[in-house]
């Protein structure tokens, strides 16, 4: 089982890696196996660290590990720093060189009951988080971020899809990025009345969908656990199973599609249904089924807008790449590099047009 990863926020800009390590360990007999330090996404003049401990987390984080506490706060020379494992909100995954130009923002958003960091980790020997480990090498000038939201099934939340979309947009206006279809639709609806949302919509260039159930998800196995879920969470699950709201949102998004480049990945392997085991817990030990079929995962748009990519994996493992040699990873990195090159050429063309206008004006 991969080691837990923690996020440390609110770190002062003056703090070095050694300073952060010293304050996090607090003299305990543990080590930091890995630490990545990045700027805060929110422009608040702080740093964020993504940390793995060895052999386990310090004792003061036991309640965070168990889930009885969401986070812990410790003091760092008068600054309060926060430690959590939920990764709610935006988190930048790797640092871009100080003198490098950010060529694009990439935001990765998980679906229902997903974890902002863990959902993207492979299941190989090194549990690679490819958005961090691979993109830092292959897309070093892109600001790659993850977005976390509380969509866990077993809690007392009353969120619905529209609430998640609005929450995402409000966070997004603080970091200026976009990738989620429902939120792009909402940004379009807010155009004219909300300048920040309008700006987000206009700056969106491409989106990648991994097994996204545009026309509904088979949720009967999830609904078999209704005795453990609050009524509001049951309603949330049912809302992604299909129906008029999902159909209307799909139609709204398709109306925006001509202005985007879309990658649609879809699973080619069946996964196992959730089933109660001998201990009374639910795990994927049931019969094989296909939760998101090809007809639901694809938008069926023209090839110049949508690129359809089959993946030799089930729904759970669709975004869990162990190595750069994974065929699906090769597909997405080649497409993203192609998009970035198109953006670069477009920027050059715009710069040339501005230069010519300036020359004519001076003449």
């Amino acid at each position: 089982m991969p080691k837990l990863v923690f996020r440390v926020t609110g770190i002062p800009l003056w703090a070095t890696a050694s300073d952060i390590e010293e304050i996090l360990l607090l003299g305990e007999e543990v080590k930091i196996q890995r630490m990545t330090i990045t700027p805060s996404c929110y422009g608040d003049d702080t740093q964020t660290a993504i940390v793995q401990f060895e052999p386990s987390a310090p004792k003061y984080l036991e309640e965070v590990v168990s889930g009885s506490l969401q986070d812990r706060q410790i003091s760092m020379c008068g600054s309060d720093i926060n430690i959590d494992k939920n990764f709610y909100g935006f988190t930048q995954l790797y640092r871009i060189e100080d003198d490098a130009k950010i060529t694009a923002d990439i935001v990765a958003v998980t679906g229902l009951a997903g974890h902002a960091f863990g959902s993207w980790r492979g299941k190989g020997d090194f549990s690679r988080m490819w958005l961090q480990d691979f993109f830092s090498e292959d897309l070093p000038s892109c600001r790659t971020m993850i977005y976390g939201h509380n969509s866990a099934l077993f809690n007392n939340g009353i969120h619905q899809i529209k609430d998640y979309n609005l929450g995402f947009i409000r966070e997004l206006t603080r970091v200026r990025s976009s990738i989620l279809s429902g939120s792009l639709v909402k940004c379009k609806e807010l155009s004219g009345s909300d300048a920040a949302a309008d700006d987000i919509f206009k700056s969106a260039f491409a989106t990648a969908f991994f097994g996204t159930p545009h026309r509904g998800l088979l949720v009967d196995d999830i609904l078999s656990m209704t005795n453990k879920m609050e009524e509001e969470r049951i309603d949330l699950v049912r809302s992604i199973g299909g129906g008029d709201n999902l159909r209307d949102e799909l139609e709204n998004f398709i109306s925006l599609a001509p202005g985007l480049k879309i990658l649609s990945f879809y699973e080619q392997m069946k996964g196992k249904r959730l089933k109660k085991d001998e201990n009374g817990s639910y795990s994927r030990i049931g019969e094989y089924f296909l939760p998101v079929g090809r007809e639901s995962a694809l938008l069926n748009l023209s090839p110049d807008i949508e690129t359809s990519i089959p993946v030799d994996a089930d729904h759970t493992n669709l975004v869990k790449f162990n190595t750069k040699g994974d065929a699906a990873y090769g597909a997405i990195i080649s497409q993203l590099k192609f998009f970035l090159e198109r953006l670069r050429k477009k920027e050059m063309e715009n710069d040339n047009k501005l230069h010519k206008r300036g020359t004519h004006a001076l003449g």
Side-chain angles (χ1 to χ4, degrees):
M1 185 175 180
K3 289 185 173 63
L4 274 178
V5 178
F6 297 86
R7 179 181 61 173
V8 186
T9 55
I11 302 168
L13 289 179
W14 53 260
T16 65
S18 297
D19 296 328
I20 299 169
E21 182 171 346
E22 182 179 355
I23 196 68
L24 289 180
L25 296 182
L26 293 179
E28 293 193 28
E29 293 298 318
V30 296
K31 297 179 180 179
I32 290 181
Q33 181 185 40
R34 179 180 179 183
M35 179 166 62
T36 303
I37 304 170
T38 67
S40 166
C41 293
Y42 297 100
D44 55 6
D45 292 329
T46 65
Q47 302 178 92
T48 296
I50 301 172
V51 182
Q52 285 180 256
F53 296 97
E54 176 68 32
S56 60
K59 291 181 180 179
Y60 70 88
L61 291 176
E62 285 180 349
E63 291 175 294
V64 176
V65 172
S66 68
S68 58
L69 276 182
Q70 291 288 319
D71 49 24
R72 291 298 301 261
Q73 295 78 44
I74 58 178
S75 179
M76 188 175 194
C77 297
S79 296
D80 294 342
I81 65 175
N82 193 76
I83 308 170
D84 72 87
K85 65 181 179 70
N86 292 323
F87 285 77
Y88 292 157
F90 283 90
T91 308
Q92 185 172 329
L93 294 176
Y94 52 87
R95 184 180 291 273
I96 298 171
E97 294 297 329
D98 293 336
D99 59 348
K101 178 184 177 182
I102 297 176
T103 54
D105 282 345
I106 297 173
V107 180
V109 186
T110 59
L112 182 67
H115 186 275
F117 192 93
S119 292
W120 308 96
R121 297 180 78 181
K123 294 185 176 180
D125 292 333
F126 303 114
S127 301
R128 295 299 188 204
M129 200 292 198
W130 56 275
L131 290 166
Q132 181 184 51
D133 296 321
F134 301 166
F135 275 15
S136 60
E137 296 175 353
D138 293 337
L139 299 173
S141 63
C142 289
R143 183 171 64 150
T144 300
M145 295 171 281
I146 50 176
Y147 176 73
H149 53 287
N150 184 10
S151 63
L153 295 179
F154 305 119
N155 64 32
N156 57 357
I158 60 172
H159 317 75
Q160 294 298 309
I161 295 297
K162 62 181 180 180
D163 302 313
Y164 290 121
N165 285 341
L166 286 172
F168 179 69
I169 292 168
R170 295 310 166 200
E171 290 284 287
L172 203 53
T173 59
R174 300 169 63 190
V175 297
R176 288 283 282 102
S177 318
S178 188
I179 200 170
L180 192 64
S181 62
S183 296
L184 287 178
V185 170
K186 196 63 183 178
C187 285
K188 178 61 175 176
E189 292 173 356
L190 294 172
S191 295
S193 61
D194 188 320
D198 188 44
D199 198 28
I200 290 171
F201 173 73
K202 289 178 179 177
S203 64
F205 181 77
T207 183
F209 294 115
F210 290 88
T212 303
H214 300 296
R215 296 173 180 82
L217 172 75
L218 291 180
V219 294
D220 56 323
D221 65 327
I222 302 175
L223 291 175
S224 68
M225 301 184 291
T226 53
N227 62 314
K228 293 188 175 185
M229 283 188 274
E230 299 287 339
E231 187 62 36
E232 291 82 2
R233 305 317 266 176
I234 296 173
D235 290 341
L236 176 62
V237 172
R238 285 174 176 157
S239 72
I240 63 173
D244 293 339
N245 289 338
L246 197 63
R247 185 163 49 251
D248 290 345
E249 190 158 301
L250 174 61
E251 290 177 357
N252 287 335
F253 179 72
I254 287 177
S255 71
L256 307 179
L260 295 170
K261 297 298 180 184
I262 298 170
L263 303 178
S264 295
F265 293 80
Y266 60 96
E267 60 234 51
Q268 292 283 275
M269 302 290 289
K270 293 181 179 180
K272 290 189 175 182
R273 291 182 181 272
L274 288 167
K275 186 178 180 180
K276 188 181 292 186
D277 60 26
E278 58 184 15
N279 297 318
S281 299
Y282 284 87
S283 54
R284 294 202 172 277
I285 57 174
E287 67 273 18
Y288 285 99
F289 81 127
L290 193 66
V292 183
R294 186 179 186 275
E295 67 283 354
S296 183
L298 298 183
L299 294 165
N300 295 322
L301 300 172
S302 62
D304 61 316
I305 298 174
E306 181 182 25
T307 301
S308 305
I309 304 171
V311 181
D312 192 23
D314 61 23
H315 191 71
T316 301
N317 295 295
L318 196 59
V319 293
K320 297 184 180 298
F321 308 143
N322 294 325
T323 71
K324 289 187 180 184
D326 189 293
Y329 178 76
I332 191 169
I333 197 64
S334 63
Q335 288 290 328
L336 289 178
K337 287 182 176 180
F338 173 69
F339 292 156
L340 288 172
E341 181 60 21
R342 289 191 62 175
L343 279 174
R344 187 186 68 82
K345 289 181 178 179
K346 187 175 181 179
E347 287 181 356
M348 289 179 62
E349 290 173 359
N350 290 336
D351 289 343
N352 289 335
K353 288 179 181 178
L354 289 173
H355 177 71
K356 288 179 180 178
R357 288 175 186 170
T359 301
H360 292 320
L362 290 173

